[in-house]
Amino acid sequence: MPLTVLSRSQLRELLHALSRDEIRNLQRNLADALREYSSGSQEKGCSAAYQPQRTAITRQNGCTTLFMPASTGQTIGIKMISLQDGGAAGCAVERDTVNMQEKEQTSSRRRGSFRNSVASISSDLSDLSVGSQEDKEDSNSISPATTTNSSAAGSSTDSSTLLTGCVNQQNVTSNISRTLGAWPGAGTRDTSPRGSVTLLDGESLPFALINAHELTAFRTALASLMMFNRRKKVRTLLVFGAGTQAYWHIRLALVLRGEDIRRVYIVNRSFDRAAKLLQEIYQPENTEWRRDVKFSAVSADFGEYSRVLKEHVRKADAIFCCTPSPEPLFPAEYLTSGEGRQKGRLICAIGSYKAHMAEIHPDILRDEVNLQAAHSHWHKQIHRSGVILVDSLDAALKEAGEIIQAGIKPKQVVELGELLMVRDATREAATVDEEKSLREWAQRGNVIYKSVGLGLMDLVTGGDLVRLARERKLGTTVEDF
């Protein structure tokens, strides 16, 4: 049995060469697996019943290693990744927060109530197609020539003239390495996970070994962008973080919806790291997917950081949080106040992965699940679902700091795969009003998605990428392994 080894550089070469159609095919396959994961059916190997519990070991140096076994029915494997998070030394096996019978009952009740509140995911989500362009000229859209009037030095700069991207209103050009020094600079530690994914066939013979660094970020972005594809308006994106996760969320968003996007704001605590990301985005080979989208970044040491941060959050049509932050990245009132409620947004939080971490303020989640009539006058323009969207119910209840700290209950959580399941029921029984309510929520309403990751996601996407690599003669092959 030959073994295909994909190093980080080899996998990155493959990922950068993927066409839009290939990315959408990878996304469809992942969506199918997540639907099977949430179905509760044991007929196929992707069901949650066939996903082993994961375990974690934290060493004396504060480095935590996660062991994430998974199965697809045709493929089994394990992902091992390490993160420097300063945890307490020891070993812990993740136990199910909700047992299988209780989970099935909870899921059934949750699907029914969710369908009554926002219908369900519409039938056209099955092909994960790009959202309609009818809203391109929406009068509430942010102009691509948005102007920022002040800088740390007090000068006035029109951001529309910063064609090469900017950090704290300083232009980022191709010679940035000569002005900022070697990468990464001080305070720019890469917090991306390091490790590998091992894949075995149905006879338990290893057929692939993949570097997990790039794969983790890529498959996470694939899942985040499933709902992004359905959004009506995505003119303005806000991305927190400047690492590998941020890069792939930006790149895939532009590959899939680049013709609709006008502006990308990046917020990062480190100036150097943000500058490095912009430098990479503005490499000549990225012109095709970057298009003429305007990029700008702001770091925490910017003189008017608070003002600019508030403006960016309020203007954003989609917010991607890609940091292992132990505290909220922006105040809750930016989105929960009357002004903050005037538009619907897609918010994807994928960086935090422990109970003490929270990229989104818990009050924002509480506000999302609270549908009391007393607040109805704030919701004439947007639709709220009353639920938080997650990749895994069990994992989110154990690991998602935002959900834990907000006190979100299982009945207020819906798995991404469950939306695809309810879609099938809706196709048969939905009324015209239900379909309309669904489209309004999926395309224009508030959608909060929290992801902590699944080994199943690595197996499905990793297996597809190995097949593509073999077709293109990429990777290192070990014969008769």
Side-chain angles (χ1 to χ4, degrees), residues 412-456:
Q412 298 170 320
V413 178
V414 169
E415 289 179 346
L416 184 57
E418 284 187 285
L419 295 184
L420 300 174
M421 292 166 55
V422 179
R423 172 209 67 199
D424 297 332
T426 302
R427 184 181 298 163
E428 298 177 359
T431 66
V432 173
D433 289 340
E434 284 179 331
E435 295 241 0
K436 181 179 179 181
S437 179
L438 157 71
R439 283 191 290 270
E440 283 297 309
W441 174 71
Q443 296 177 359
R444 298 176 183 271
N446 273 334
V447 180
I448 299 178
Y449 171 65
K450 175 60 189 177
S451 172
V452 293
L454 287 170
L456 176 64

Side-chain angles (χ1 to χ4, degrees), residues 150 167 223 304-305 333 347 422 458:
S150 59
V167 182
E304 299 191 23
Y305 176 75
E333 66 91 17
I347 306 175
V422 179
D458 299 286

Side-chain angles (χ1 to χ4, degrees), residues 6-13 190 211 213-214 244:
L6 289 176
S7 67
R8 180 178 176 182
S9 60
Q10 291 168 335
L11 181 58
R12 187 174 178 84
E13 178 183 351
D190 189 349
N211 185 287
H213 183 100
E214 213 80 28
T244 309

Side-chain angles (χ1 to χ4, degrees), residues 37-54:
Y37 173 83
S38 297
S39 69
S41 170
Q42 299 186 22
E43 296 179 0
K44 297 184 179 180
C46 290
S47 170
Y50 289 100
Q51 307 310 315
Q53 296 173 352
R54 57 183 173 187

Side-chain angles (χ1 to χ4, degrees), residues 54 66 83 85 191 193 219-220 240-241 245 249 320-329 348-362 365 390-391 395-405 448-454:
R54 57 183 173 187
L66 300 177
L83 310 101
D85 56 13
T191 57
R219 58 81 156 155
T220 303
F240 286 92
Q245 288 280 11
H249 277 76
F320 299 112
C321 302
C322 307
T323 77
S325 178
E327 56 188 31
L329 298 170
C348 298
I350 57 88
S352 59
Y353 55 92
K354 284 196 171 184
H356 72 280
M357 298 177 173
E359 295 179 284
I360 305 174
H361 197 289
L365 277 69
V390 300
D391 48 3
L397 292 177
K398 290 194 296 279
E399 303 170 7
E402 295 92 340
I403 289 177
I404 295 170
Q405 294 174 35
I448 299 178
Y449 171 65
K450 175 60 189 177
S451 172
V452 293
L454 287 170

Side-chain angles (χ1 to χ4, degrees), residues 315-389:
K315 291 177 181 178
D317 300 307
I319 300 174
F320 299 112
C321 302
C322 307
T323 77
S325 178
E327 56 188 31
L329 298 170
F330 54 89
E333 66 91 17
Y334 286 3
L335 298 184
T336 59
S337 66
E339 185 179 353
R341 291 169 176 265
Q342 291 179 5
K343 64 185 291 185
R345 299 172 182 83
L346 169 66
I347 306 175
C348 298
I350 57 88
S352 59
Y353 55 92
K354 284 196 171 184
H356 72 280
M357 298 177 173
E359 295 179 284
I360 305 174
H361 197 289
D363 285 349
I364 296 175
L365 277 69
R366 295 189 190 103
D367 186 68
E368 181 64 25
V369 301
N370 181 6
L371 297 179
Q372 295 180 5
H375 294 163
S376 61
H377 64 284
W378 284 333
H379 302 286
K380 295 180 180 179
Q381 300 181 35
I382 64 173
H383 288 250
R384 292 193 298 160
S385 62
V387 297
I388 306 300
L389 193 60

